[in-house]
Amino acid sequence: MFLYRVKVEELDASRLLSLRDGLARGEPVLRAQCPIREMSVVSEDGEAALDIYLALDDFIGVAQLKKLVSQLNAMLDMWPNRTKPRVSSELIHI
């Protein structure tokens, strides 16, 4: 199993809520295209950051992972005229 963690920082309150809602609506699409076992979106009260955790099956293909990353990036690029949030990610084999 793999854990794919994406941390999105420097979000204002409206973008934080918008991203959380977008991820909730987009979860079925992500699951249909990628072997996601679990998906969790975590934000701390008062923090301007969002942690996205995706537990992925071992048999995920490179093309599937690239598509997942592309779709997450598209969600983050939905604010074309504003400062982009700071994003970091890591893929851990468990």
Side-chain angles (χ1 to χ4, degrees), residues 44-85:
E44 302 276 332
D45 286 338
E47 292 286 322
L50 194 65
D51 285 311
I52 306 162
Y53 296 95
L54 300 157
L56 307 171
D57 285 334
D58 279 336
F59 59 86
I60 186 168
V62 173
Q64 289 174 308
L65 186 59
K66 284 182 179 180
K67 187 162 189 141
L68 175 64
V69 170
S70 173
Q71 289 177 333
L72 289 172
N73 283 336
M75 288 181 185
L76 296 172
D77 286 339
M78 63 185 184
W79 305 288
N81 298 326
R82 295 168 95 179
T83 304
K84 301 284 187 219

Side-chain angles (χ1 to χ4, degrees), residues 2-5 54 56 60 65 89-94:
F2 289 95
L3 176 65
Y4 183 55
R5 176 182 178 255
L54 300 157
L56 307 171
I60 186 168
L65 186 59
S89 64
E90 60 185 329
L91 182 65
I92 304 165
H93 188 255
I94 299 174

Side-chain angles (χ1 to χ4, degrees), residues 31-52:
R31 284 183 181 271
Q33 297 174 357
C34 193
I36 298 172
R37 288 186 181 187
E38 297 250 353
M39 180 173 168
S40 177
V41 179
V42 180
S43 63
E44 302 276 332
D45 286 338
E47 292 286 322
L50 194 65
D51 285 311
I52 306 162

